[in-house]
Amino acid sequence: MQDVFEFETRCLHSLVKVFPDEELRAESYTKGSVLRGETFNFQVAYRAPALTKPIQVSVISTLQAAITLREVGLAPSELPCQRRHDDNVLRVTPGLYPDPLYPIVGERGVVGFHYQWRSVWVTLELDEKTPAGEYDVTVQFAAMTGELLGEELFHLEVIPAMLPPQTLIHTEWFHADCLANYYEVEVFSEAHWELIEQYLQTAVRHGMNMVLTPHFTPPLDTQVGGERPTVQLVDVRKEADGTYEFGFGRLVRWIELCDRVGIHYFEFSHLFTQWGAKHAPKVVAEERGEVRRIFGWETDATGEAYKSFLSQYLPTLTALLRERGLENRCYFHISDEPLLEHMPWYRSASELMQAHLGNFPTIDALTNVEYYEQGLVKGPIPANDHIEPFLERQVPELWTYYCCVQYRQVSNRFFNMPSARNRVIGVQLYKFQIAGFLHWGYNFWNTQYSLQAIDPYRVTDAGRSFPSGDAFLVYPGEDGPVESIRMEVFYEGLQDLRALQLLESLVGRDRVLALIEEGLTEPLSFSRYPSDAEWLLGLRERANRAIRVASESTRRGESHES
């Protein structure tokens, strides 16, 4: 390797992943545009001629108050991808991958490693009051002596139009037990509630507006016969005559917390076990002065005991929700990812829930369209590689999701995938008018089946089970969540969706669809799309220009009318 004799810097867009063990091939990116109310990211990569620490990083701009600088950290991956991966990946080898975004704290600065490219992540959070116009953002690197080592200049245009509110319902499954495990706090202690609020605030800032609500401990990613820590929001007392009393104090606190931080929708956790709907979730209750588990893996979901419980619980719960005016904000789950062979059990569970839920919708991630055709679930959520039959049947208000097995052709966000493959989901959601997006791993810091808790800084593949990047979007920091490249880029995709919706309101849907598919050799779908970042960034810039022109035309028309 040829020696590097000077400090080097290069401005990059947010879709580049900078690896420390390879040459930086991405070209410089120094200009972009953004709407008011949008978050804009770019990077500055740097390489030092020798081990250099600390390096002070600073920013100069009239937008300085809206700018955050973070260090792109490295996370280990033993399992970067599935065996039968496609070609749209960056690498397939185990190693270190850029992902966590660490705060740059005071004089600690960043470190320059000999021969290693590293990068600083630059985030601008613009509000509705940011004046339109051209802005310069200068990022500087300096030695402790004050010597300027290098700098990069980025030009940002703020378009005189406001990014509209998000209409997509978006949930990343929130695992309250993982917070308690990692931070070693008692479930629903004051310390736990503080953590819940912190992590939900971060989720909301990145477009999550629905939360998995554990009225009972969610029966998810749990070994058959095993159990996860109890995170049950609803108090249950079983009387001697077989009737039940319910207490909703913690659930009401959860709802009020979510209202405070900006969560609008509640998805009540599954009332039947994953992969089959054959059993009940873990439910603990007070009976004869003792708190114990009354339902779980030993419970036949079709048995009279559990049916009697739900027939008392669901009417009481829905009455509370109606009393609080939450009818249009609540969704229910039956069982996660049932297969066709599980239909008899799912049917029984569905009929029981429909008898008590009225107009409250049920949603579930599943593959087979027969569940929808037979009326067993009002809101099917097919994976993005199984969505075509649901699109053909024009399922109203259709959702989609992906997880560890969606790794051929479709969008996903594993460590080893290009960030453009993560962000393109926004354009796809727009074209197919998808109403909701679900993912199972906001903070799943366990091994597969929750056999044990893990340190997410050391284990990123759920104990060598799921490709790194599948199980969680945030890392646990000392002062709260540490965000990731994948989280920021996915949110960029959600902002693309909102920008295209804004453009549609100005010029009509047909013109937006034509803009998306201009120059493509085949129509864009969930499995067919340009894989290069330049196409995606170019599309967004064309959309921004069209928004600017249409907005100016609208303002001129309004001025003329007045």
Side-chain angles (χ1 to χ4, degrees):
M1 181 181 290
Q2 185 178 0
D3 283 344
V4 179
F5 294 105
E6 60 183 16
F7 193 91
E8 300 175 80
T9 60
R10 192 178 307 173
C11 213
L12 305 171
H13 56 70
S14 61
L15 303 184
V16 177
K17 290 189 177 180
V18 178
F19 288 89
D21 58 346
E22 66 180 38
E23 188 59 42
L24 184 60
R25 297 180 180 85
E27 296 183 358
S28 183
Y29 172 81
T30 59
K31 187 175 183 180
S33 63
V34 66
L35 302 179
R36 289 170 169 158
E38 186 169 7
T39 297
F40 186 89
N41 302 298
F42 68 93
Q43 299 175 83
V44 179
Y46 65 95
R47 178 162 66 172
L51 183 63
T52 308
K53 61 179 181 179
I55 298 172
Q56 302 300 311
V57 189
S58 60
V59 63
I60 302 171
S61 176
T62 54
L63 292 173
Q64 191 159 341
I67 299 174
T68 302
L69 302 178
R70 286 174 289 179
E71 177 186 5
V72 178
L74 301 173
S77 173
E78 290 190 72
L79 179 62
C81 61
Q82 305 282 18
R83 182 175 64 87
R84 299 177 62 190
H85 61 86
D86 60 26
D87 294 331
N88 189 15
V89 294
L90 298 172
R91 52 172 67 182
V92 298
T93 53
L96 295 175
Y97 286 74
D99 193 54
L101 297 173
Y102 295 118
I104 299 176
V105 182
E107 295 183 355
R108 191 175 70 189
V110 298
V111 176
F113 295 89
H114 190 207
Y115 288 131
Q116 293 186 23
W117 281 103
R118 298 295 182 96
S119 88
V120 169
W121 191 270
V122 186
T123 298
L124 296 94
E125 296 184 78
L126 306 179
D127 60 29
E128 68 278 1
K129 297 179 181 179
T130 305
E134 302 278 347
Y135 295 89
D136 288 343
V137 180
T138 301
V139 179
Q140 295 185 331
F141 297 81
M144 278 294 289
T145 59
E147 175 193 0
L148 182 65
L149 299 174
E151 67 177 13
E152 290 288 335
L153 176 63
F154 190 86
H155 303 277
L156 184 68
E157 179 187 3
V158 177
I159 305 293
M162 181 70 184
L163 193 71
Q166 181 175 306
T167 58
L168 180 85
I169 301 176
H170 173 209
T171 179
E172 305 277 342
W173 280 352
F174 188 87
H175 300 275
D177 61 329
C178 291
L179 290 180
N181 283 340
Y182 186 86
Y183 287 97
E184 298 181 339
V185 297
E186 183 181 348
V187 171
F188 298 134
S189 63
E190 290 305 311
H192 193 210
W193 281 110
E194 290 174 7
L195 288 165
I196 290 169
E197 184 160 358
Q198 280 184 307
Y199 277 79
L200 284 180
Q201 285 173 336
T202 295
V204 168
R205 287 201 308 272
H206 292 83
M208 185 174 128
N209 52 17
M210 172 183 267
V211 65
L212 183 68
T213 297
H215 49 167
F216 304 112
T217 302
L220 300 169
D221 297 285
T222 307
Q223 184 183 36
V224 174
E227 62 179 68
R228 291 173 64 166
T230 302
V231 285
Q232 179 175 316
L233 286 169
V234 176
D235 287 326
V236 181
R237 185 170 72 246
K238 185 176 181 180
E239 306 293 358
D241 62 358
T243 59
Y244 297 91
E245 294 291 332
F246 303 102
F248 295 108
R250 280 194 302 274
L251 176 59
V252 168
R253 180 172 181 176
W254 177 278
I255 291 169
E256 291 175 345
L257 185 157
C258 291
D259 284 341
R260 185 166 63 248
V261 302
I263 292 287
H264 186 71
Y265 299 101
F266 302 93
E267 54 169 329
F268 286 88
S269 57
H270 307 69
L271 287 170
F272 298 84
T273 50
Q274 195 171 20
W275 311 305
K278 296 181 181 182
H279 306 280
K282 179 172 70 170
V283 177
V284 299
E286 179 185 343
E287 184 177 12
R288 298 174 183 174
E290 177 187 357
V291 176
R292 65 180 185 87
R293 188 182 72 240
I294 60 170
F295 298 116
W297 286 109
E298 71 283 358
T299 305
D300 179 356
T302 63
E304 289 304 317
Y306 192 55
K307 285 184 178 180
S308 175
F309 174 79
L310 289 183
S311 69
Q312 296 177 61
Y313 172 65
L314 288 174
T316 309
L317 173 63
T318 53
L320 171 76
L321 300 179
R322 290 189 178 96
E323 180 185 321
R324 299 187 69 88
L326 298 173
E327 297 96 324
N328 298 319
R329 296 173 56 188
C330 295
Y331 292 71
F332 285 83
H333 283 294
I334 299 172
S335 173
D336 189 48
E337 296 182 323
L339 302 177
L340 206 54
E341 65 202 59
H342 301 136
M343 187 174 283
W345 291 277
Y346 193 97
R347 182 185 303 278
S348 174
S350 175
E351 290 173 351
L352 177 61
M353 290 185 65
Q354 288 186 42
H356 297 294
L357 287 179
N359 292 325
F360 285 96
T362 54
I363 56 173
D364 270 326
L366 45 79
T367 297
N368 302 101
V369 74
E370 289 88 345
Y371 280 91
Y372 172 74
E373 291 178 327
Q374 296 186 28
L376 302 184
V377 60
K378 296 178 182 178
I381 308 179
N384 57 347
D385 61 345
H386 286 86
I387 198 171
E388 294 300 329
F390 296 84
L391 291 172
E392 291 168 1
R393 287 160 178 78
Q394 298 182 330
V395 176
E397 298 296 307
L398 185 62
W399 291 36
T400 191
Y401 82 104
Y402 54 63
C403 65
C404 61
V405 295
Q406 280 67 52
Y407 56 88
R408 294 184 65 81
Q409 278 68 60
V410 294
S411 174
N412 211 318
R413 58 191 187 210
F414 300 163
F415 280 11
N416 77 324
M417 290 179 172
S419 284
R421 186 168 180 173
N422 179 352
R423 182 168 167 175
V424 75
I425 191 76
V427 183
Q428 295 166 332
L429 295 173
Y430 170 79
K431 177 177 178 180
F432 295 100
Q433 298 179 291
I434 300 301
F437 181 85
L438 176 150
H439 193 276
W440 75 281
Y442 178 67
N443 64 320
F444 183 74
W445 302 327
N446 287 341
T447 60
Q448 186 181 25
Y449 304 130
S450 299
L451 297 178
Q452 63 187 65
I454 55 95
D455 176 354
Y457 291 103
R458 299 178 57 216
V459 179
T460 59
D461 52 17
R464 304 171 184 175
S465 300
F466 310 130
S468 296
D470 184 45
F472 57 84
L473 275 179
V474 290
Y475 298 80
E478 290 183 10
D479 301 315
V482 171
E483 296 157 18
S484 64
I485 287 177
R486 293 168 296 114
M487 189 179 202
E488 295 288 357
V489 169
F490 186 87
Y491 185 54
E492 289 178 337
L494 298 187
Q495 293 184 141
D496 293 341
L497 164 63
R498 293 159 65 188
L500 294 172
Q501 289 172 332
L502 172 60
L503 182 56
E504 178 181 323
S505 72
L506 296 169
V507 303
R509 182 167 174 80
D510 288 345
R511 288 180 62 181
V512 180
L513 292 175
L515 179 72
I516 290 172
E517 299 193 337
E518 178 183 324
L520 299 185
T521 57
E522 57 184 340
L524 181 136
S525 71
F526 281 98
S527 58
R528 302 291 180 185
Y529 53 89
S531 61
D532 57 295
E534 286 67 31
W535 175 81
L536 196 53
L537 295 170
L539 170 62
R540 183 57 204 276
E541 286 297 323
R542 295 197 306 274
N544 282 356
R545 288 197 296 270
I547 288 169
R548 181 179 57 198
V549 170
S551 298
E552 291 172 351
S553 177
T554 299
R555 283 195 298 274
R556 284 196 298 269
E558 291 173 349
S559 176
H560 179 72
E561 289 175 5
S562 64

